Amino acid sequence: MAVNHASRATMNSLGLRYARAFHHERDPSRLGAEHGDVEYSTTREQWLNQRS
């Protein structure tokens, strides 16, 4: 969730990169759902370079 700042900080600290924000109709009653969700990603090359 976009509003879960602790989770987003963890993903950043692990080397994942922000990919996109999006909205879906899964459960609009979730607290913070109006702000949408976020997706993080990494490539194999980025992950291997980070481990060096």
Side-chain angles (χ1 to χ4, degrees):
M1 293 185 70
V3 296
N4 191 336
H5 300 289
S7 178
R8 295 182 71 176
T10 299
M11 289 185 276
N12 280 323
S13 70
L14 292 172
L16 295 168
R17 290 176 172 70
Y18 171 83
R20 69 183 180 121
F22 62 97
H23 287 83
H24 55 75
E25 302 297 323
R26 188 176 358 174
D27 184 2
S29 65
R30 294 181 303 156
L31 186 61
E34 68 275 10
H35 300 287
D37 289 291
V38 291
E39 181 176 280
Y40 282 74
S41 66
T42 192
T43 64
R44 178 177 171 78
E45 182 179 344
Q46 290 168 338
W47 183 75
L48 291 172
N49 286 338
Q50 182 180 323
R51 295 183 65 208
S52 304

